[in-house]
Amino acid sequence: MTEKLIFTGKTHNTSGRDGGARSSDGQLDIKLKQPHPAAENLFGAAWSACYMGALDVAASQKNIKLPAGTAVDAEIDLNSDAGSYFLRARLNVSVPGIDPGVARELLGAAHGICPYSKATHGNINVVTNLV
C-alpha cells in the first residue's frame, strides 16, 4: 500500500487574555481565553465533522443517500482522576428516515473510516448513540 498525503492542517495557538488559534489557510481564527472548554469544543467540532464525512462515505459504499437533517452532536468530557486528565466522548447521530438497523451499520462503518475515530479507538471511552 502506498501512503498518500491528502492534507496537512497547520494551526498556531497562543495563550493568555488575547489567546487564540489560527490556521495557516485562514479558515479558522478563534479567540481562546482559556485552554478549556475551548479544546474540548474544538475537538468535538473536528471529530464530528470528520465523522460526518465518514458517514457519507459509508452510505455511498452501500448506495445510500444520506437524508437532509443528518447530524452528529459530539459531547467531549474532560475528566480528572488523582491529578491525571482524560477524555470521554459521546457521538449522538441522527439519520432521519433511514431504517435503524441500516443506520447502526453505517455508524459502525463510519468509525472504521473516520481518522479521529481510529485515533481515539482504545484510548478513550466512546459511546455512539443513534438518536
Side-chain angles (χ1 to χ4, degrees), residues 10-128:
K10 297 179 183 178
T11 58
H12 178 73
N13 197 0
T14 56
S15 65
R17 234 164 87 167
D18 295 323
R22 183 174 16 92
S23 63
S24 62
D25 63 5
Q27 293 291 314
L28 176 69
D29 190 0
I30 187 169
K31 298 289 182 200
L32 304 172
K33 293 182 181 183
Q34 58 182 355
H36 63 81
E40 290 73 30
N41 288 336
L42 288 169
F43 183 61
W47 190 357
S48 60
C50 181
Y51 189 83
M52 180 72 80
L55 191 59
D56 192 46
V57 169
S60 69
Q61 289 174 346
K62 293 186 172 274
N63 295 317
I64 297 171
K65 184 173 178 0
L66 290 178
T70 298
V72 179
D73 294 311
E75 298 175 358
I76 309 298
D77 300 327
L78 175 63
N79 303 279
S80 73
D81 183 17
S84 177
Y85 297 96
F86 62 98
L87 300 174
R88 283 195 186 116
R90 285 168 305 289
L91 298 179
N92 300 309
V93 186
S94 174
V95 191
I98 299 288
D99 175 80
V102 172
R104 284 186 189 85
E105 286 180 31
L106 294 176
L107 271 55
H111 276 299
I113 296 167
C114 175
Y116 281 79
S117 293
K118 289 178 184 181
T120 58
H121 183 75
N123 295 313
I124 69 173
N125 180 313
V126 180
V127 174
T128 305

